[in-house]
Amino acid sequence: MPHPKLKLSRREALLAGAGAALAGAIGLPPAAAAVSGRLTAKPGRVQLVGPSYPETEVWCYGGRVPGPELRARQGGRLSVAFDNRLPQSSTVHWHGLRVPNAMDGVPELTQAPVAPGDGFAYEFDLPDAGTYWYHPHQGSVEQVGRGLYGPLIVEEPEPIRVDREAVWVLDDWRMTQEAAIVEDFDNFHDHTHNGRIGNTVTVNGSIPETFPVRAGERIRLRLINAANARFFALKFTGHAPRLIALDGQPCRPHALPEGRIVLGPAMRADLVLDLSGRPGERFAVVDDHYQRFAYRLLELAYEAGPPLRESPLDAPVALPANPLPAPELGTALRQRIVLGGGAMGGLASATFRGETLGLREIAREGKVWALNGIVADRIKMDPLVTLKRGRSAVIELVNETAFDHPMHLHGHSFRVLTRDGRPVPHGIWQDTVLVAPREKVEIAFVADNPGDWLFHCHILEHMAAGMMGVLRVA
Ligand code: C2O
Ligand code: CU
Protein backbone atom coordinates (compact mmCIF):
# COMPACT_ATOMS: atom_id res chain seq x y z
CA MET A 1 0.00 0.00 0.00
CA PRO A 2 2.31 2.78 -1.15
CA HIS A 3 1.83 6.09 0.53
CA PRO A 4 0.62 8.70 -1.92
CA LYS A 5 2.91 11.43 -0.60
CA LEU A 6 6.15 9.53 -0.46
CA LYS A 7 8.23 7.89 -3.13
CA LEU A 8 9.25 4.41 -2.12
CA SER A 9 12.97 4.10 -1.82
CA ARG A 10 14.62 0.72 -1.86
CA ARG A 11 15.16 0.79 1.88
CA GLU A 12 11.58 1.78 2.50
CA ALA A 13 10.31 -1.05 0.35
CA LEU A 14 12.37 -3.28 2.58
CA LEU A 15 10.74 -1.86 5.68
CA ALA A 16 7.26 -1.26 4.40
CA GLY A 17 4.38 -2.66 6.33
CA ALA A 18 6.11 -4.84 8.82
CA GLY A 19 6.70 -3.26 12.18
CA ALA A 20 8.72 -6.17 13.42
CA ALA A 21 10.90 -6.08 10.36
CA LEU A 22 11.41 -2.37 10.88
CA ALA A 23 12.97 -2.88 14.28
CA GLY A 24 15.01 -5.85 13.20
CA ALA A 25 16.24 -4.27 10.02
CA ILE A 26 17.34 -0.99 11.49
CA GLY A 27 18.07 -2.13 15.00
CA LEU A 28 21.49 -3.44 14.09
CA PRO A 29 24.12 -0.87 15.00
CA PRO A 30 25.56 1.08 13.44
CA ALA A 31 22.29 2.44 12.11
CA ALA A 32 22.06 3.76 8.60
CA ALA A 33 22.45 7.49 8.03
CA ALA A 34 19.17 7.76 6.15
CA VAL A 35 16.37 5.70 7.57
CA SER A 36 12.93 5.54 6.09
CA GLY A 37 9.91 3.45 6.75
CA ARG A 38 6.20 3.29 7.12
CA LEU A 39 4.40 3.71 10.39
CA THR A 40 0.82 2.54 10.53
CA ALA A 41 -1.40 3.36 13.46
CA LYS A 42 -4.33 1.01 13.85
CA PRO A 43 -6.32 -1.03 16.34
CA GLY A 44 -4.71 -4.32 17.30
CA ARG A 45 -4.69 -7.11 19.86
CA VAL A 46 -1.65 -7.85 21.96
CA GLN A 47 -0.78 -10.11 24.84
CA LEU A 48 0.09 -7.51 27.47
CA VAL A 49 -0.66 -9.21 30.74
CA GLY A 50 0.39 -12.80 30.17
CA PRO A 51 -0.85 -16.08 28.77
CA SER A 52 -3.45 -16.68 31.49
CA TYR A 53 -5.29 -13.52 30.43
CA PRO A 54 -7.03 -12.69 27.19
CA GLU A 55 -5.34 -10.43 24.68
CA THR A 56 -5.93 -6.72 25.09
CA GLU A 57 -7.48 -4.59 22.39
CA VAL A 58 -5.15 -1.66 21.89
CA TRP A 59 -4.35 1.02 19.36
CA CYS A 60 -0.76 0.73 18.29
CA TYR A 61 1.90 1.36 15.66
CA GLY A 62 2.98 -1.46 13.41
CA GLY A 63 0.70 -3.96 15.15
CA ARG A 64 2.68 -4.00 18.38
CA VAL A 65 3.24 -2.31 21.73
CA PRO A 66 5.54 -0.48 21.93
CA GLY A 67 5.60 0.48 18.25
CA PRO A 68 8.64 -0.40 16.16
CA GLU A 69 11.98 0.89 17.38
CA LEU A 70 13.18 3.57 15.00
CA ARG A 71 16.94 3.73 15.07
CA ALA A 72 19.14 6.08 13.10
CA ARG A 73 22.50 7.75 13.31
CA GLN A 74 23.20 11.27 14.52
CA GLY A 75 23.52 13.61 11.56
CA GLY A 76 21.30 11.32 9.52
CA ARG A 77 17.80 11.80 8.27
CA LEU A 78 14.57 10.08 9.17
CA SER A 79 11.65 9.73 6.76
CA VAL A 80 8.49 8.14 8.02
CA ALA A 81 5.34 7.64 5.98
CA PHE A 82 2.61 7.78 8.58
CA ASP A 83 -0.57 5.96 7.75
CA ASN A 84 -3.61 6.54 9.94
CA ARG A 85 -5.95 3.53 10.19
CA LEU A 86 -7.42 4.63 13.50
CA PRO A 87 -11.10 5.48 13.87
CA GLN A 88 -10.09 9.09 14.64
CA SER A 89 -7.65 11.75 13.44
CA SER A 90 -4.09 11.57 14.64
CA THR A 91 -0.55 12.94 14.19
CA VAL A 92 2.91 11.78 15.18
CA HIS A 93 5.04 13.89 17.50
CA TRP A 94 8.76 13.13 17.78
CA HIS A 95 9.23 13.80 21.44
CA GLY A 96 12.46 15.59 22.31
CA LEU A 97 13.82 15.86 18.79
CA ARG A 98 14.69 19.30 17.52
CA VAL A 99 12.74 19.08 14.27
CA PRO A 100 11.52 21.85 11.97
CA ASN A 101 8.17 23.19 13.16
CA ALA A 102 6.19 21.70 10.27
CA MET A 103 7.38 18.21 11.28
CA ASP A 104 6.48 18.52 14.96
CA GLY A 105 3.15 16.73 14.68
CA VAL A 106 0.94 19.06 16.69
CA PRO A 107 -2.53 19.20 15.15
CA GLU A 108 -3.88 22.69 14.43
CA LEU A 109 -0.58 24.28 15.42
CA THR A 110 1.99 22.73 13.07
CA GLN A 111 -0.08 20.59 10.71
CA ALA A 112 -3.63 19.61 9.86
CA PRO A 113 -4.88 16.56 11.75
CA VAL A 114 -4.41 13.38 9.72
CA ALA A 115 -7.90 12.01 9.11
CA PRO A 116 -8.65 8.27 9.27
CA GLY A 117 -7.44 6.70 6.03
CA ASP A 118 -5.03 9.56 5.31
CA GLY A 119 -1.31 9.81 5.75
CA PHE A 120 1.47 12.29 6.31
CA ALA A 121 5.11 12.25 5.28
CA TYR A 122 7.42 13.18 8.15
CA GLU A 123 11.00 13.86 7.19
CA PHE A 124 13.73 15.59 9.16
CA ASP A 125 17.41 15.66 10.08
CA LEU A 126 18.69 14.29 13.37
CA PRO A 127 21.06 16.83 14.93
CA ASP A 128 21.20 15.16 18.35
CA ALA A 129 22.06 11.66 19.48
CA GLY A 130 20.03 10.17 22.32
CA THR A 131 16.97 8.34 23.54
CA TYR A 132 13.67 9.74 22.23
CA TRP A 133 10.20 8.47 21.52
CA TYR A 134 7.22 9.12 19.32
CA HIS A 135 3.53 9.35 20.09
CA PRO A 136 0.34 10.97 18.77
CA HIS A 137 -0.44 14.53 19.78
CA GLN A 138 -4.15 14.34 19.09
CA GLY A 139 -6.59 13.02 21.64
CA SER A 140 -3.46 12.08 23.54
CA VAL A 141 -5.17 10.89 26.71
CA GLU A 142 -6.97 8.20 24.74
CA GLN A 143 -4.49 7.56 21.94
CA VAL A 144 -1.39 7.22 24.10
CA GLY A 145 -3.49 5.54 26.79
CA ARG A 146 -4.55 2.87 24.30
CA GLY A 147 -0.94 2.06 23.40
CA LEU A 148 0.26 4.40 20.68
CA TYR A 149 3.96 5.07 21.29
CA GLY A 150 7.35 3.77 20.31
CA PRO A 151 11.07 4.30 20.95
CA LEU A 152 13.29 6.40 18.71
CA ILE A 153 17.02 5.96 19.20
CA VAL A 154 19.64 8.20 17.62
CA GLU A 155 23.08 6.67 17.90
CA GLU A 156 26.29 8.59 18.45
CA PRO A 157 28.74 8.21 15.55
CA GLU A 158 31.10 6.67 18.10
CA PRO A 159 29.05 5.19 20.91
CA ILE A 160 30.57 4.53 24.31
CA ARG A 161 31.85 1.02 24.85
CA VAL A 162 29.31 -1.33 26.39
CA ASP A 163 28.64 -5.04 25.98
CA ARG A 164 25.07 -4.46 24.96
CA GLU A 165 22.22 -2.03 24.97
CA ALA A 166 18.68 -2.48 26.21
CA VAL A 167 15.65 -0.25 25.81
CA TRP A 168 12.90 -0.43 28.44
CA VAL A 169 9.74 1.37 27.46
CA LEU A 170 7.71 1.72 30.65
CA ASP A 171 3.96 2.15 30.65
CA ASP A 172 0.99 1.56 32.85
CA TRP A 173 -2.53 0.62 31.90
CA ARG A 174 -5.90 0.88 33.54
CA MET A 175 -7.39 -2.53 32.97
CA THR A 176 -10.31 -4.69 33.93
CA GLN A 177 -9.83 -8.19 35.34
CA GLU A 178 -10.27 -9.43 31.76
CA ALA A 179 -7.27 -7.35 30.65
CA ALA A 180 -9.45 -4.90 28.73
CA ILE A 181 -8.58 -1.20 28.78
CA VAL A 182 -10.96 0.79 30.98
CA GLU A 183 -12.30 3.46 28.68
CA ASP A 184 -12.88 6.28 31.15
CA PHE A 185 -10.53 8.60 29.31
CA ASP A 186 -12.53 11.64 30.36
CA ASN A 187 -12.48 10.75 34.07
CA PHE A 188 -12.74 14.14 35.77
CA HIS A 189 -10.92 13.06 38.91
CA ASP A 190 -7.91 12.04 36.81
CA HIS A 191 -7.96 15.40 35.07
CA THR A 192 -8.07 17.39 38.30
CA HIS A 193 -5.67 15.26 40.36
CA ASN A 194 -2.75 12.95 39.47
CA GLY A 195 -3.82 11.99 35.97
CA ARG A 196 -4.74 8.55 34.67
CA ILE A 197 -2.71 6.20 36.83
CA GLY A 198 -3.14 2.60 35.75
CA ASN A 199 -3.15 -0.68 37.62
CA THR A 200 -0.85 -2.68 35.36
CA VAL A 201 2.75 -1.76 34.59
CA THR A 202 4.44 -3.11 31.49
CA VAL A 203 8.01 -3.07 30.24
CA ASN A 204 8.18 -3.22 26.44
CA GLY A 205 4.54 -4.27 26.31
CA SER A 206 4.64 -7.21 28.70
CA ILE A 207 5.10 -8.00 32.37
CA PRO A 208 8.50 -9.65 32.55
CA GLU A 209 9.52 -11.53 35.67
CA THR A 210 13.20 -11.27 34.95
CA PHE A 211 15.76 -9.51 32.84
CA PRO A 212 18.57 -12.00 32.13
CA VAL A 213 22.09 -10.62 32.63
CA ARG A 214 25.60 -11.94 32.69
CA ALA A 215 28.08 -11.30 35.48
CA GLY A 216 30.67 -8.70 34.54
CA GLU A 217 28.87 -7.25 31.56
CA ARG A 218 28.17 -3.57 31.03
CA ILE A 219 24.78 -2.56 29.70
CA ARG A 220 23.59 0.79 28.43
CA LEU A 221 20.02 0.90 29.58
CA ARG A 222 17.71 3.35 27.85
CA LEU A 223 14.60 4.02 29.92
CA ILE A 224 11.53 5.69 28.42
CA ASN A 225 8.44 6.60 30.42
CA ALA A 226 5.52 6.37 27.98
CA ALA A 227 2.79 6.42 30.64
CA ASN A 228 0.03 9.04 30.55
CA ALA A 229 0.60 10.07 34.14
CA ARG A 230 2.56 7.55 36.19
CA PHE A 231 5.95 8.50 37.62
CA PHE A 232 8.59 5.82 38.04
CA ALA A 233 11.39 5.87 40.60
CA LEU A 234 13.58 2.86 39.90
CA LYS A 235 16.08 1.42 42.34
CA PHE A 236 18.50 -1.21 41.14
CA THR A 237 19.16 -3.12 44.35
CA GLY A 238 22.72 -4.35 44.72
CA HIS A 239 23.91 -2.20 41.80
CA ALA A 240 25.20 1.31 41.25
CA PRO A 241 24.11 2.47 37.80
CA ARG A 242 25.42 5.78 36.54
CA LEU A 243 23.27 8.34 34.81
CA ILE A 244 24.86 9.46 31.55
CA ALA A 245 21.97 11.21 29.78
CA LEU A 246 18.55 12.61 30.61
CA ASP A 247 15.92 13.19 27.94
CA GLY A 248 18.47 12.15 25.33
CA GLN A 249 20.96 14.86 26.31
CA PRO A 250 24.28 13.82 27.85
CA CYS A 251 25.14 14.95 31.38
CA ARG A 252 28.26 14.45 33.46
CA PRO A 253 28.09 10.76 34.45
CA HIS A 254 27.07 10.44 38.07
CA ALA A 255 25.55 8.05 40.58
CA LEU A 256 21.78 8.20 40.90
CA PRO A 257 20.71 10.72 43.52
CA GLU A 258 19.37 8.74 46.51
CA GLY A 259 20.09 5.61 44.50
CA ARG A 260 17.08 5.93 42.23
CA ILE A 261 16.14 7.35 38.88
CA VAL A 262 12.91 9.35 38.88
CA LEU A 263 11.14 9.54 35.55
CA GLY A 264 8.04 11.64 35.12
CA PRO A 265 5.84 11.01 32.10
CA ALA A 266 7.74 11.43 28.79
CA MET A 267 11.15 11.53 30.47
CA ARG A 268 14.03 9.31 29.43
CA ALA A 269 17.28 8.29 31.09
CA ASP A 270 20.37 6.52 29.81
CA LEU A 271 22.11 4.46 32.48
CA VAL A 272 25.37 2.59 32.45
CA LEU A 273 24.79 -0.56 34.45
CA ASP A 274 27.78 -2.69 35.47
CA LEU A 275 26.57 -6.17 36.38
CA SER A 276 28.65 -6.67 39.50
CA GLY A 277 26.74 -9.65 40.93
CA ARG A 278 27.75 -13.30 40.80
CA PRO A 279 26.44 -15.99 38.47
CA GLY A 280 23.07 -17.31 39.60
CA GLU A 281 22.21 -14.28 41.78
CA ARG A 282 19.02 -12.23 41.47
CA PHE A 283 18.41 -8.58 42.29
CA ALA A 284 15.12 -6.72 42.28
CA VAL A 285 14.52 -3.54 40.36
CA VAL A 286 12.01 -1.75 42.56
CA ASP A 287 9.72 1.16 41.73
CA ASP A 288 8.94 3.06 44.90
CA HIS A 289 7.72 6.37 43.56
CA TYR A 290 4.35 5.91 45.26
CA GLN A 291 5.87 4.69 48.47
CA ARG A 292 2.86 2.88 49.86
CA PHE A 293 2.62 1.06 46.56
CA ALA A 294 6.24 0.11 46.02
CA TYR A 295 6.53 -3.00 43.86
CA ARG A 296 9.14 -5.09 42.10
CA LEU A 297 9.29 -4.15 38.43
CA LEU A 298 11.41 -7.18 37.56
CA GLU A 299 14.52 -9.04 38.67
CA LEU A 300 17.98 -8.90 37.19
CA ALA A 301 18.63 -12.63 36.85
CA TYR A 302 22.29 -13.61 36.51
CA GLU A 303 23.02 -16.51 34.20
CA ALA A 304 24.87 -19.44 35.67
CA GLY A 305 27.82 -19.22 33.28
CA PRO A 306 31.23 -17.74 34.14
CA PRO A 307 31.53 -13.93 34.40
CA LEU A 308 32.28 -12.04 31.25
CA ARG A 309 35.08 -10.26 33.12
CA GLU A 310 36.26 -10.20 36.72
CA SER A 311 36.33 -6.47 37.33
CA PRO A 312 34.15 -3.77 35.74
CA LEU A 313 35.01 -2.65 32.26
CA ASP A 314 37.54 0.14 32.37
CA ALA A 315 36.25 2.38 29.60
CA PRO A 316 34.93 5.95 29.67
CA VAL A 317 31.16 6.35 29.95
CA ALA A 318 30.81 10.07 29.22
CA LEU A 319 28.88 10.77 26.04
CA PRO A 320 29.96 13.47 23.61
CA ALA A 321 27.80 16.59 23.91
CA ASN A 322 25.14 17.26 21.32
CA PRO A 323 25.45 20.48 19.28
CA LEU A 324 23.18 22.54 21.51
CA PRO A 325 23.91 26.26 21.62
CA ALA A 326 24.81 27.43 25.13
CA PRO A 327 22.39 30.09 26.39
CA GLU A 328 23.93 33.44 27.34
CA LEU A 329 22.48 34.10 30.73
CA GLY A 330 23.63 37.72 31.00
CA THR A 331 21.71 38.94 27.97
CA ALA A 332 18.84 36.45 28.08
CA LEU A 333 15.23 37.50 27.87
CA ARG A 334 13.59 36.60 31.18
CA GLN A 335 10.06 35.27 31.45
CA ARG A 336 8.07 33.49 34.05
CA ILE A 337 5.32 30.94 33.64
CA VAL A 338 3.06 30.25 36.60
CA LEU A 339 1.43 26.82 36.84
CA GLY A 340 -1.95 27.13 38.49
CA GLY A 341 -5.25 25.41 39.12
CA GLY A 342 -6.25 21.81 39.76
CA ALA A 343 -7.68 20.28 42.89
CA MET A 344 -6.57 22.04 46.08
CA GLY A 345 -4.72 24.63 44.00
CA GLY A 346 -6.53 27.65 45.30
CA LEU A 347 -6.96 29.27 41.89
CA ALA A 348 -10.21 31.26 42.03
CA SER A 349 -10.55 32.50 38.47
CA ALA A 350 -8.77 32.33 35.15
CA THR A 351 -9.07 33.36 31.52
CA PHE A 352 -10.96 30.89 29.39
CA ARG A 353 -11.93 31.57 25.76
CA GLY A 354 -10.95 35.19 26.32
CA GLU A 355 -13.20 35.71 29.35
CA THR A 356 -12.36 35.84 33.03
CA LEU A 357 -14.38 33.14 34.73
CA GLY A 358 -14.49 31.41 38.08
CA LEU A 359 -12.65 28.10 38.12
CA ARG A 360 -15.91 26.33 38.96
CA GLU A 361 -17.49 27.57 35.77
CA ILE A 362 -14.44 26.57 33.78
CA ALA A 363 -14.50 23.14 35.44
CA ARG A 364 -17.94 22.58 33.94
CA GLU A 365 -16.14 22.49 30.60
CA GLY A 366 -13.74 19.90 31.97
CA LYS A 367 -10.84 22.34 32.30
CA VAL A 368 -9.02 23.09 35.53
CA TRP A 369 -5.38 23.99 34.90
CA ALA A 370 -3.85 27.29 33.85
CA LEU A 371 -0.54 28.72 32.69
CA ASN A 372 -0.16 32.38 33.64
CA GLY A 373 -3.86 32.44 34.46
CA ILE A 374 -4.93 31.19 31.04
CA VAL A 375 -6.75 27.90 30.66
CA ALA A 376 -6.03 26.40 27.25
CA ASP A 377 -9.15 25.51 25.35
CA ARG A 378 -7.64 24.46 22.07
CA ILE A 379 -4.13 24.06 20.78
CA LYS A 380 -4.08 27.01 18.42
CA MET A 381 -3.80 29.95 20.77
CA ASP A 382 -2.16 33.32 21.06
CA PRO A 383 1.38 32.80 22.30
CA LEU A 384 1.92 32.74 26.03
CA VAL A 385 5.50 33.87 25.48
CA THR A 386 7.19 35.31 22.39
CA LEU A 387 10.94 34.93 22.01
CA LYS A 388 13.25 36.52 19.53
CA ARG A 389 14.86 34.01 17.23
CA GLY A 390 18.49 33.44 18.10
CA ARG A 391 18.19 35.08 21.53
CA SER A 392 18.71 33.29 24.80
CA ALA A 393 15.80 32.92 27.15
CA VAL A 394 15.58 32.14 30.84
CA ILE A 395 12.16 30.98 31.92
CA GLU A 396 11.20 30.63 35.53
CA LEU A 397 8.54 27.97 36.09
CA VAL A 398 6.58 28.58 39.25
CA ASN A 399 4.33 25.78 40.47
CA GLU A 400 1.46 27.17 42.51
CA THR A 401 -0.52 23.92 42.37
CA ALA A 402 -0.67 20.99 44.74
CA PHE A 403 0.71 18.52 42.16
CA ASP A 404 3.93 17.63 40.35
CA HIS A 405 4.05 18.61 36.70
CA PRO A 406 6.47 17.31 34.05
CA MET A 407 6.62 20.40 31.83
CA HIS A 408 7.62 19.78 28.23
CA LEU A 409 8.80 22.26 25.62
CA HIS A 410 8.68 21.34 21.94
CA GLY A 411 11.42 22.09 19.45
CA HIS A 412 14.20 22.82 21.95
CA SER A 413 16.15 21.22 24.75
CA PHE A 414 16.88 23.45 27.72
CA ARG A 415 19.44 23.69 30.48
CA VAL A 416 17.96 23.21 33.92
CA LEU A 417 19.67 26.01 35.84
CA THR A 418 18.22 26.14 39.33
CA ARG A 419 15.61 24.64 41.64
CA ASP A 420 14.35 27.04 44.27
CA GLY A 421 17.41 29.16 43.54
CA ARG A 422 19.93 26.36 44.04
CA PRO A 423 22.09 25.46 41.04
CA VAL A 424 21.34 22.08 39.47
CA PRO A 425 24.57 20.05 39.17
CA HIS A 426 25.90 17.72 36.44
CA GLY A 427 25.13 19.98 33.44
CA ILE A 428 21.57 18.77 32.93
CA TRP A 429 19.66 19.45 29.70
CA GLN A 430 16.10 18.25 29.38
CA ASP A 431 12.99 18.64 27.28
CA THR A 432 10.61 17.66 30.10
CA VAL A 433 11.33 19.00 33.56
CA LEU A 434 9.62 18.08 36.81
CA VAL A 435 8.32 20.96 38.86
CA ALA A 436 7.18 19.97 42.36
CA PRO A 437 4.38 21.70 44.27
CA ARG A 438 5.44 25.24 45.21
CA GLU A 439 8.80 24.75 43.54
CA LYS A 440 10.48 27.26 41.21
CA VAL A 441 12.63 25.91 38.40
CA GLU A 442 14.70 28.04 36.05
CA ILE A 443 15.42 26.77 32.56
CA ALA A 444 17.47 28.39 29.79
CA PHE A 445 17.93 27.85 26.09
CA VAL A 446 18.68 29.63 22.85
CA ALA A 447 15.42 30.17 20.98
CA ASP A 448 16.93 29.10 17.68
CA ASN A 449 14.12 27.02 16.21
CA PRO A 450 11.53 29.29 14.57
CA GLY A 451 7.83 28.61 14.89
CA ASP A 452 4.99 28.19 17.34
CA TRP A 453 5.89 25.50 19.85
CA LEU A 454 3.72 23.79 22.38
CA PHE A 455 4.69 24.01 26.03
CA HIS A 456 2.61 21.76 28.27
CA CYS A 457 2.36 19.40 31.16
CA HIS A 458 3.05 15.83 30.02
CA ILE A 459 0.55 14.37 32.43
CA LEU A 460 -1.74 14.03 29.46
CA GLU A 461 -4.90 14.62 31.49
CA HIS A 462 -3.46 17.91 32.76
CA MET A 463 -2.69 18.99 29.22
CA ALA A 464 -6.20 18.07 28.12
CA ALA A 465 -7.63 20.01 31.05
CA GLY A 466 -5.89 23.26 30.10
CA MET A 467 -2.23 23.08 31.13
CA MET A 468 -0.70 24.08 27.85
CA GLY A 469 0.40 27.14 25.98
CA VAL A 470 2.26 28.28 22.91
CA LEU A 471 5.77 29.63 22.88
CA ARG A 472 6.52 31.60 19.74
CA VAL A 473 10.03 31.91 18.34
CA ALA A 474 10.05 34.59 15.67
CU1 C2O B 1 5.57 14.10 24.25
CU2 C2O B 1 3.79 17.65 23.45
O1 C2O B 1 4.69 15.87 23.77
CU1 CU C 1 0.59 18.51 35.20
Side-chain angles (χ1 to χ4, degrees), residues 93 95 106 133 135 137 266 408 410 454 456 458 463:
H93 170 58
H95 184 113
V106 180
W133 65 301
H135 63 78
H137 221 294
H408 171 48
H410 285 218
L454 214 54
H456 64 89
H458 221 290
M463 170 168 71

Side-chain angles (χ1 to χ4, degrees), residues 151-173:
L152 198 171
I153 309 299
V154 185
E155 296 176 352
E156 298 84 16
E158 289 171 40
I160 55 165
R161 194 173 152 214
V162 294
D163 297 305
R164 67 185 165 112
E165 231 185 73
V167 181
W168 290 1
V169 185
L170 307 169
D171 191 11
D172 79 335
W173 308 75

